[in-house]
């Protein structure tokens, strides 16, 4: 292992060669012998009763193999797709989870919901047949507006007021008392706009059934293949786990949207047995807009109380969260435990109370999207803090600084159930101020005015909870599974290494960073380490990739497995050098005792060719480990946005963006920078451009890239990114997670800059040129 490829080195991603040369293997690149193709029958209505379905004309088309509907999946005893997190309401009652069949049986509840599947010899024939199926629908009134959902018609039988849960966290009485006595209270009504994930690779699935072995294999675009197998086995009842293999090959982005179990992959694997052939489906982009789980979509009223000196005394937040038509896999947890628990931010606010009503609407299900609850919480806190500073005539950085948790306060227990282990928030703020030349902002404002532009600067001091853990606590709070991770390190006789990880890579660079970790730990060349993931048939178990957990949890499991390798190898090395294991040291891949040395590769060969071998020691050199964190990790930082607004057109230009983040120790700075860049781009997209909009009938108005605006390169400046380091205190790598930070801090920073430039209290995301132009005209 060389310093150029070890922990801390900016090693180029080894996986990129196959990606940039078109040599990746994505699900749609795969084909199976005798494969048929699926097209789904989707509801044209947001809410409708399903009547008679006539597929006779479709079945008469040459090449059509079958048409199945929700009635068929129900008749075969397929179970509902479950929500993986149980949330309790204020009164202690369980949330109300509406039944979510793989294919709608009697009623559809959002536009694009699948209620049938057509299987044919080609995609073209399947499409033709799908158009030939006639379905009698009785359209019902749609519930679309999240703010009024609780006062609207009941969507699901037994779900009163369309309310899945009425959740709370914190001390209500104490918070209201502190607000009542506060010297100043800042209030904001906030809308966190709905987002559509739009991963570059649409979802896809190939279901296969081996009739002889009665064994299923599902190739699919999943961030979490083991969880997919568990749900399809234990809840949907496709097959027992030992008869079901999930393979998730190269995946072109996910951002959370590919964590979940969807109807489509469930239907194709079920149908593969019905037709006796592999069945393949790849989403078209229009289907992705309609049927991928969406993100965000909150309506919030928030109040921040301050004393006469400007110190925070209380924060009260009331949010209505849109869950969509059904509870998706983690849909219940995102607006509750991943949102309310982050309301302390970086500040010593002594009283906090959060209440969240999760409501059903006739829209696509809403679940985790890059950041998953943390961006929404940061947006509430940082918009409030910035607004309070302006109302009090204080510099926004000074108000933040005087309220920040200090290094000497750690470990710090917040009023909303978290214990921060470490941090130095002012260090990130100071470095961000330096990079952004905050002292020169007034001169830049004047210069911009001379050009007919308004210049504004905005800040966001965020914190997030990553590496979801520990399992016992998570399960007590409603998680359906533990939140550990597994790893296996296998040294081969010649000294090369294969690593099996339960984490899944879909853009994070695990094949590079995990190899850096293991090669550094074992002292073997970086190029001799292979990473295997995404296959339940090869990896023992795992809980996938989400919540910036891969390195902090999955990487820690690999460290533990590597330590077991070293411990066993030390015994073998001691035997080879005719000494005691306690006399043997290990460094840089070499075991030493007195003036003797053996390499770990020599030990590996001895382990597999045990001609002269320690008694009572098994041959081989392969070890497994499960790592269950004792706490979350807490990345934090300061993001600074600077904008210019054209007074004539209202067009907003992001002219500068600085991100200073504390991710703990960093394994690969280049990959970390890339993760921050991507996250910031998505956050800027939310702030300026993106918005998933339904009309009053539940029709998606932003169902294509003609209507849903994504950020492009010319919408973004060159980012300035930097780091500070306070290592995580409870995992062996001292890492915290970096994948979501850019999307967490950037929306609030950009919107704070826009409201600063406009001199207004609030403007809703996305800050389109029309909204900004109207705000300028209201002056």
């Amino acid at each position: 292992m060389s310093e150029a490829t070890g922990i801390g080195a900016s090693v180029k991603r080894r996986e990129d060669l196959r990606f940039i040369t078109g040599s990746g293997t994505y699900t749609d690149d795969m084909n199976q012998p005798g494969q048929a193709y699926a097209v789904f029958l989707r509801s044209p209505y947001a809410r409708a009763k399903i009547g008679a379905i006539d597929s006779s004309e479709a079945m008469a088309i040459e090449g059509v193999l079958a048409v199945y509907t929700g009635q068929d999946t129900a008749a075969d005893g397929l179970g509902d797709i479950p929500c993986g997190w149980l949330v309790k309401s204020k009164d202690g009652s369980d949330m109300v989870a509406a039944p979510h069949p793989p294919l709608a049986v009697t009623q559809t509840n959002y536009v694009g919901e699948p209620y049938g599947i057509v299987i044919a010899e080609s995609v073209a024939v399947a499409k033709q047949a799908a158009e030939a199926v006639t379905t009698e629908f009785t359209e019902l009134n749609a519930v679309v507006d999240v703010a009024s959902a609780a006062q609207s018609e009941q969507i699901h039988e037994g779900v009163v007021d369309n309310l899945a849960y009425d959740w709370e966290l914190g001390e209500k009485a104490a918070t209201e008392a502190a607000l009542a006595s506060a010297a100043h209270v800042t209030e904001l009504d906030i809308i966190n706009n709905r987002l559509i994930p739009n991963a570059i690779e649409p979802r896809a699935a190939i279901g296969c059934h081996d009739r002889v072995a009665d064994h299923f294999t599902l190739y699919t675009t999943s961030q979490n293949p083991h969880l997919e197998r568990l749900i399809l086995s234990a809840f949907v009842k496709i097959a027992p786990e030992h008869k079901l293999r999930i393979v998730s090959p190269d995946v072109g982005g996910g951002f959370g949207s590919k964590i979940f179990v969807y109807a489509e992959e469930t239907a194709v694997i079920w149908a593969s047995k019905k037709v006796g052939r592999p069945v393949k489906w790849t989403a078209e982009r229009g289907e992705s807009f309609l049927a991928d789980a969406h993100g965000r979509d909150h309506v919030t009223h928030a109040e921040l109380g301050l004393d006469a000196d400007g110190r925070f005394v209380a924060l009260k937040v009331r949010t209505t969260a849109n869950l969509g038509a059904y509870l998706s896999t983690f849909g219940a947890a995102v607006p509750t435990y991943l949102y309310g628990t982050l309301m302390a931010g970086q500040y010593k606010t002594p009283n906090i109370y959060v209440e969240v009503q999760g409501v059903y609407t006739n829209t696509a299900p809403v679940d985790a999207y890059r950041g998953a609850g943390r961006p929404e919480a940061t947006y509430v806190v940082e918009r409030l803090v910035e607004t309070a500073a302006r109302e009090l005539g204080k510099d926004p950085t000074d108000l933040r600084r005087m309220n920040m948790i200090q290094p000497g306060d750690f470990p710090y227990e917040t009023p909303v159930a978290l214990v921060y282990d470490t941090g130095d928030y002012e260090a990130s703020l100071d470095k961000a101020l330096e990079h952004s030349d905050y002292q020169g902002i007034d001169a830049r404002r004047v210069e911009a005015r001379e050009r007919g532009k308004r210049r504004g600067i905005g800040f966001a001091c965020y914190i997030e909870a990553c590496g979801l853990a520990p399992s016992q606590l998570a399960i007590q709070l409603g998680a359906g599974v533990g939140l550990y991770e597994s790893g296996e390190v296998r040294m081969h006789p010649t000294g090369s290494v294969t690593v099996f990880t339960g984490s899944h890579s879909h853009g994070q660079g695990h094949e590079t960073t995990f190899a850096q970790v293991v090669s550094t730990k074992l002292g073997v060349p970086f190029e001799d380490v292979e990473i295997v993931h995404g296959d339940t048939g090869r990896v023992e178990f795992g809980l996938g990739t989400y919540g910036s957990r891969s390195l902090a949890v999955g990487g820690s499991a690999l460290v533990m497995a590597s330590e077991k390798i070293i411990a066993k190898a030390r015994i073998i090395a001691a035997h080879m050098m005719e000494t005691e294991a306690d006399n043997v040291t290990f460094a840089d891949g070499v075991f030493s005792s007195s003036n003797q040395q053996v390499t770990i590769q020599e030990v590996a060969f001895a382990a597999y060719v045990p001609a002269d071998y320690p008694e009572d020691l098994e041959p081989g050199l392969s070890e497994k480990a499960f790592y269950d964190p004792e706490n979350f990790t807490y990345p934090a930082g300061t993001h600074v946005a600077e904008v210019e607004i054209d007074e004539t057109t209202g067009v907003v230009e992001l002219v500068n963006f600085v991100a200073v983040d504390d991710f703990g120790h960093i394994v690969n700075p280049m990959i970390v920078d890339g993760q921050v860049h991507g996250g910031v781009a998505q956050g800027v997209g939310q702030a300026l451009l993106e918005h998933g909009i339904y009309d009053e009938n539940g029709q998606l108005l932003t169902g294509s890239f003609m209507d849903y605006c994504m950020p492009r390169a010319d919408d973004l400046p060159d980012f300035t990114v930097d780091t500070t380091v306070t290592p995580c205190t409870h995992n062996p790598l001292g890492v915290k997670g970096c994948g979501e930070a850019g999307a967490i801090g950037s929306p609030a920073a950009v919107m704070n800059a826009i409201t600063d430039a406009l001199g207004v209290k609030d403007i809703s995301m996305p800050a389109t040129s029309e909204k900004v132009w109207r705000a300028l005209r209201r002056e």
Side-chain angles (χ1 to χ4, degrees):
M1 189 278 300
S2 70
E3 291 185 2
T5 56
I7 290 176
S10 288
V11 181
K12 290 184 178 179
R13 299 198 329 171
R14 55 165 52 161
E15 50 266 68
D16 283 350
L17 178 61
R18 69 176 185 271
F19 294 151
I20 64 177
T21 59
S23 302
T25 303
Y26 299 92
T27 301
D28 190 53
D29 295 322
M30 306 173 76
N31 293 290
Q32 300 297 317
Q35 170 180 288
Y37 297 85
V39 168
F40 284 90
L41 303 175
R42 298 185 183 274
S43 174
Y45 301 108
R47 184 168 171 241
K49 292 289 186 183
I50 302 173
I53 301 174
D54 184 357
S55 61
S56 57
E57 183 179 342
M59 288 299 299
I61 297 173
E62 184 178 357
V64 176
L65 302 178
V67 177
Y68 300 118
T69 69
Q71 296 287 350
D72 297 306
T73 55
D76 270 13
L78 263 61
D80 290 331
I81 299 172
C83 177
W85 201 295
L86 174 67
V87 169
K88 292 185 179 293
S89 290
K90 297 173 183 177
D91 61 5
S93 62
D94 291 341
M95 70 183 189
V96 185
H100 185 186
L103 296 175
V105 181
T106 61
Q107 180 173 313
T108 60
N109 287 306
Y110 64 95
V111 171
E113 180 176 2
Y115 66 92
I117 180 172
V118 178
I119 302 166
E121 296 287 357
S122 70
V123 174
V125 172
K127 284 185 176 181
Q128 180 186 0
E131 292 175 356
V133 175
T134 58
T135 306
E136 294 180 4
F137 289 103
T138 302
E139 188 176 5
L140 305 173
N141 292 328
V143 178
V144 179
D145 179 51
V146 61
S148 61
Q151 292 79 46
S152 302
E153 291 186 24
Q154 183 174 303
I155 297 173
H156 299 288
E157 184 178 348
V159 184
V160 179
D161 296 330
N162 296 315
L163 188 65
Y165 53 76
D166 186 6
W167 179 86
E168 67 178 351
L169 183 64
E171 297 295 332
K172 182 177 183 179
T175 301
E176 290 180 341
L179 282 171
S181 61
H184 179 84
V185 176
T186 292
E187 297 188 44
L188 275 178
D189 289 303
I190 295 170
I191 295 175
N192 206 291
N193 43 321
R194 176 182 282 246
L195 302 177
I196 301 174
N198 284 308
I200 193 168
E201 177 203 22
R203 289 187 294 116
I206 307 172
C208 306
H209 178 253
D210 183 331
R211 180 177 60 83
V212 175
D214 194 24
H215 186 278
F216 292 85
T217 300
L218 175 65
Y219 301 89
T220 190
T221 48
S222 174
Q223 297 177 220
N224 201 341
H226 285 90
L227 181 64
E228 178 118 18
R229 183 181 67 173
L230 176 63
I231 290 175
L232 291 179
S233 175
F235 297 93
V236 184
K237 306 297 184 183
I238 291 291
E241 281 187 277
H242 70 291
K243 293 287 189 179
L244 177 58
R245 178 187 178 197
I246 309 294
V247 180
S248 183
D250 289 331
V251 173
F255 316 118
S257 69
K258 293 174 182 173
I259 303 171
F260 325 123
V261 176
Y262 286 93
E264 290 87 356
E265 63 254 33
T266 304
V268 298
I269 194 168
W270 166 79
S272 68
K273 182 176 182 178
K274 300 285 285 186
V275 298
R277 295 190 31 197
V279 178
K280 181 176 183 178
W281 167 77
T282 301
E284 296 185 347
R285 185 58 67 177
E287 291 180 284
S288 298
F289 273 97
L290 289 172
D292 285 5
H294 294 178
R296 315 288 193 253
D297 207 349
H298 288 190
V299 175
T300 296
H301 179 77
E303 303 172 50
L304 176 66
L306 303 90
D307 68 14
D309 297 322
R311 299 196 181 277
F312 304 159
V313 297
L315 171 64
K316 183 180 179 183
V317 178
R318 178 176 176 81
T319 293
T320 304
N322 194 343
L323 304 174
Y326 304 101
L327 280 170
S328 181
T329 308
F330 291 120
V334 172
T336 53
Y337 290 110
L338 298 181
Y339 171 69
T341 54
L342 274 299
M343 285 298 172
Q346 298 184 6
Y347 310 113
K348 294 189 285 190
T349 310
N351 302 285
I352 302 176
Y353 177 71
V354 187
E355 54 186 340
V356 179
Q357 289 190 329
V359 297
Y360 292 109
T361 62
N362 292 119
T363 62
V366 179
D367 208 320
Y369 174 71
R370 197 170 193 167
R374 282 74 52 85
E376 297 94 311
T378 296
Y379 194 74
V380 170
V381 173
E382 290 303 296
R383 286 290 296 117
L384 276 172
V385 172
E386 193 94 1
T387 304
R390 294 170 190 168
E391 290 176 350
L392 294 172
K394 290 182 177 290
D395 184 289
T397 64
D398 290 341
L399 184 64
R400 287 178 168 88
R401 193 186 302 274
M402 70 183 292
N403 284 284
M404 278 180 173
I405 301 162
Q406 298 300 311
D409 296 327
F410 294 101
Y412 180 82
E413 184 173 358
T414 75
V416 278
L418 297 182
V419 178
Y420 302 164
D421 63 328
T422 186
D424 187 348
Y425 307 142
E426 282 197 76
S428 295
L429 175 59
D430 290 339
K431 189 174 279 192
L433 292 177
E434 180 182 350
H435 280 305
S436 61
D437 185 22
Y438 186 44
Q439 296 301 318
I441 183 59
D442 288 339
R444 295 195 294 277
R445 291 187 202 272
V446 172
E447 188 276 334
R449 277 287 193 178
E450 293 173 353
R451 293 183 285 108
K453 302 289 182 71
R454 295 197 185 184
R455 201 167 185 112
I457 193 167
F459 303 87
C461 295
Y462 77 92
I463 190 168
E464 56 169 324
C466 298
L468 305 183
S471 292
Q472 186 174 359
L473 175 60
I475 291 169
Q476 289 173 358
L477 296 177
V481 293
L483 295 172
Y484 50 81
E485 194 49 85
S486 73
E488 179 183 355
V489 177
R490 183 184 301 170
M491 286 204 74
H492 302 294
T494 55
S496 61
V497 180
T498 299
V499 173
F500 301 87
T501 174
S503 297
H504 184 275
S505 181
H506 41 278
Q508 293 84 356
H510 294 172
E511 293 176 38
T512 303
T513 53
F514 283 0
Q516 288 180 262
V517 168
V518 173
S519 69
T520 301
K521 191 69 181 175
L522 297 181
V524 301
F526 169 77
E527 57 271 17
D528 286 353
V529 181
E530 173 196 24
I531 308 298
V532 176
H533 65 92
D535 186 345
T536 65
R538 300 187 67 188
V539 178
E540 181 174 9
F541 198 75
L543 288 163
T545 295
Y546 46 86
S548 301
R549 73 190 301 268
S550 294
L551 193 59
V553 187
S556 294
L558 297 179
V559 169
M560 292 172 62
S562 298
E563 289 173 346
K564 291 181 179 181
I565 290 277
I566 294 167
K568 182 176 180 179
R570 179 179 277 108
I571 297 172
I572 302 170
H575 182 82
M576 295 170 69
M577 294 185 287
E578 299 182 343
T579 186
E580 297 296 323
D582 291 343
N583 299 330
V584 176
T585 61
F586 178 74
D588 299 326
V590 177
F591 293 95
S592 304
S593 179
S594 299
N595 60 349
Q596 300 183 82
Q597 290 185 338
V598 294
T599 66
I600 195 168
Q601 290 89 347
E602 291 173 314
V603 172
F605 187 80
Y608 288 97
V609 187
D612 183 13
Y613 201 68
E615 294 182 5
D616 302 323
L617 190 67
E618 294 179 354
L621 201 54
S622 179
E623 297 288 348
K624 300 175 181 178
F626 283 76
Y627 176 71
D628 195 352
E630 65 183 59
N631 193 1
F632 295 98
T633 61
Y634 297 100
T638 295
H639 290 186
V640 186
E642 198 164 334
V643 302
E644 281 191 355
I645 297 174
D646 189 304
E647 293 183 323
T648 304
T649 64
V651 171
V652 177
E653 180 185 2
L654 181 63
V655 295
N656 190 32
F657 195 95
V658 173
V660 179
D661 304 289
D662 178 2
F663 299 134
H665 290 314
I666 291 176
V667 170
N668 188 313
M670 182 189 300
I671 287 178
V672 168
D673 286 354
Q675 288 288 307
V676 174
H677 282 213
V680 169
Q682 286 182 281
V684 171
Q686 175 173 15
L688 297 180
L689 303 167
E690 299 182 47
H691 194 184
I693 301 173
Y694 289 88
D695 69 12
E696 66 275 9
N697 298 313
Q699 296 292 331
L700 184 64
L701 300 180
T702 52
S704 75
F705 289 130
M706 295 295 290
D707 310 296
Y708 187 91
C709 189
M710 299 280 284
R712 302 177 302 180
D714 61 356
D715 293 313
L716 305 168
D718 289 335
F719 303 138
T720 300
V721 297
D722 204 345
T723 58
T724 59
V725 178
T726 58
C728 176
T729 60
H730 55 79
N731 68 54
L733 288 166
V735 297
K736 297 184 179 181
C738 69
E740 297 166 295
I744 291 170
S746 54
V750 171
M751 296 306 295
N752 283 337
I754 291 170
T755 53
D756 177 52
L758 292 174
V760 300
K761 183 174 182 178
D762 191 37
I763 186 172
S764 64
M765 294 189 290
T768 61
S769 56
E770 179 186 355
K771 283 185 190 175
V772 173
W773 182 86
R774 291 185 183 280
L776 287 165
R777 296 304 174 272
R778 285 195 295 268
E779 292 181 343

